Amino acid sequence: MDALHFRKIGNNKIICELCPHECSLKVGQKGICQTRINEMGSMRLLNFGVIASAGLDPIEKKPLYHFYPGSKIFSIGGYGCNLKCKFCQNYEISQYTPGHNIPSRELAPTDIVQLASQLSQNIGIAYTYNEPTVFYELMYETAILANEKGLKNVMVSNGFINTKPLLDLLDVIDAFNIDLKAFRDDFYKTITGGTIEPVMKNLEKIKKNGSHLEIAFLVIPELNDSNEESKNMFKWIAENLGDDTPVHINRYYPAYKLDKPATPAEKLEELFEIATQYLKYVYIGNLRNAKKGTSTYCPSCKTKVIERIGYLTQIKMLNALGNCKNCGYGPIAILD
């Protein structure tokens, strides 16, 4: 199948315009993501419909805490990524492609929507597990069909995508969780193989569009856990995206090519306290028995409106509009 978002530059060369890498490809060459190849001057997909993992997950696992809390969502992912994070937590699928004899199956957009429609208590489809940008065409076609069936669409992404593809997605994706991996470009360049500026611009575009947005920040000891850097990040989020943007401060565990010790709980709690100086909704993730940062409180009257214990979620003090039942503040969450 032909890919979207590329241009021909003569002599059968092409430039992929899907993400900021903008790989220049000669005939037979693959892009950095290893999912697109130049076949005689046209960009062909190597991964359309190739599914590595699929399942019905709690929406909180994405993580999304303010988008239909307590619901379930059919989640799919494939292979490949357009970044090369040394700390990748899903490297088994994100850093490999279908040619490596890894189990997979093929599903067309109609198949995915049909499966999602048959699941009870399912609100929609989440494009997740690996980086959805690299299976953009499948995601886009599926999301259009899902919308027609009244299903919600969620993208869990690194945010490293070009403007035109993102703008097209904004018409069909209802909610985003975007990784903001650090607040320094040198971290992005040396640790992830990308750059931070496109991600920051895309966060602003998503928020300006009115799409639901939550941010995940994986805290890695000695690499991106500086209190000052984190404070600057939280302040930027509040000033440019709004202080109502939920932020998930997540614990890192050794994975892939990085063998630093897991993030201390004390560091997560320290950054949580800093973040709450600027943001209304801050959470701690990937940490068992966290002492704080699990439930949602009304920013106005401090009533606990959503209680979470692991993935068990109970809506306690929100009305049908997602407003606090005690003082009327809101909306705090999207419920319907």
Side-chain angles (χ1 to χ4, degrees):
M1 177 176 174
D2 283 338
L4 300 173
H5 303 294
F6 72 96
R7 73 176 188 269
K8 300 180 180 182
I9 55 174
N11 296 322
N12 282 331
K13 292 182 180 179
I14 60 174
I15 292 181
C16 178
E17 297 183 315
L18 180 59
C19 88
H21 288 308
E22 298 203 338
C23 298
S24 178
L25 306 176
K26 299 177 182 177
V27 172
Q29 284 188 322
K30 298 176 185 178
I32 288 173
C33 66
Q34 296 292 295
T35 64
R36 288 144 204 280
I37 188 171
N38 181 343
E39 285 192 355
M40 298 306 295
S42 185
M43 190 162 70
R44 299 283 292 176
L45 298 174
L46 299 173
N47 64 335
F48 188 84
V50 177
I51 303 298
S53 184
L56 189 64
D57 288 337
I59 193 74
E60 286 79 12
K61 195 175 180 180
K62 299 307 101 186
L64 290 171
Y65 278 16
H66 293 250
F67 186 77
Y68 296 89
S71 65
K72 305 284 188 182
I73 191 161
F74 183 53
S75 302
I76 61 169
Y79 294 98
C81 187
N82 57 351
L83 294 182
K84 304 296 179 186
C85 300
K86 294 180 180 179
F87 53 86
C88 183
Q89 309 284 291
N90 292 317
Y91 67 93
E92 296 95 340
I93 60 173
S94 72
Q95 300 304 315
Y96 295 93
T97 49
H100 290 81
N101 296 319
I102 303 174
S104 64
R105 56 177 168 161
E106 292 190 14
L107 293 174
T110 51
D111 299 327
I112 296 168
V113 173
Q114 183 178 14
L115 285 170
S117 300
Q118 293 171 346
L119 295 170
S120 62
Q121 300 181 325
N122 173 41
I123 65 164
I125 303 170
Y127 310 94
T128 180
Y129 302 139
N130 73 313
E131 174 50 47
T133 296
V134 305
F135 61 88
Y136 179 93
E137 292 79 3
L138 180 73
M139 173 173 55
Y140 185 62
E141 288 190 27
T142 303
I144 291 173
L145 296 176
N147 276 342
E148 294 173 355
K149 294 289 187 179
L151 297 169
K152 303 299 180 184
N153 289 293
V154 167
M155 183 181 184
V156 182
S157 172
N158 59 33
F160 198 68
I161 186 172
N162 273 348
T163 297
K164 177 60 168 65
L166 175 63
L167 292 179
D168 290 344
L169 285 178
L170 291 178
D171 292 332
V172 294
I173 300 294
D174 300 286
F176 294 81
N177 183 288
I178 303 294
D179 287 336
L180 189 51
K181 299 177 183 292
F183 208 56
R184 304 190 327 272
D185 197 49
D186 66 301
F187 176 97
Y188 266 81
K189 289 178 178 176
T190 60
I191 305 298
T192 78
T195 54
I196 192 174
E197 184 179 6
V199 180
M200 295 172 66
K201 288 183 176 179
N202 288 337
L203 288 169
E204 292 177 316
K205 289 183 179 75
I206 292 168
K207 194 71 175 190
K208 185 178 180 180
N209 183 67
S211 305
H212 183 78
L213 172 65
E214 302 192 24
I215 293 173
F217 171 42
L218 187 71
V219 181
I220 306 172
E222 300 177 3
L223 289 182
N224 66 356
D225 65 343
S226 155
N227 286 2
E228 187 65 22
E229 178 185 334
S230 299
K231 182 183 77 171
N232 291 336
M233 175 193 291
F234 302 140
K235 186 177 180 182
W236 180 87
I237 292 170
E239 292 176 350
N240 294 273
L241 308 178
D243 61 3
D244 61 342
T245 305
V247 171
H248 303 261
I249 299 173
N250 294 330
R251 190 183 200 190
Y252 151 88
Y253 292 92
Y256 195 38
K257 296 181 178 181
L258 200 63
D259 195 29
K260 288 188 174 295
T263 319
E266 295 76 15
K267 169 53 72 171
L268 298 173
E269 292 169 1
E270 187 176 14
L271 295 183
F272 173 88
E273 295 298 335
I274 294 172
T276 54
Q277 297 175 27
Y278 300 94
L279 301 164
K280 294 177 179 176
Y281 308 113
V282 183
Y283 303 100
I284 293 176
N286 295 350
L287 178 65
R288 290 182 181 178
N289 303 316
K291 298 177 182 178
K292 57 183 70 175
T294 57
S295 296
T296 299
Y297 295 83
C298 173
S300 178
C301 68
K302 309 307 178 186
T303 296
K304 183 190 289 186
V305 294
I306 305 174
E307 183 176 74
R308 298 182 188 85
I309 302 174
Y311 290 129
L312 178 62
T313 300
Q314 288 187 305
I315 299 172
K316 291 193 167 285
M317 288 291 289
L318 292 179
N319 63 25
L321 297 176
N323 296 346
C324 176
K325 283 184 177 180
N326 186 54
C327 71
Y329 181 92
I332 293 174
I334 299 173
L335 301 181
D336 193 9

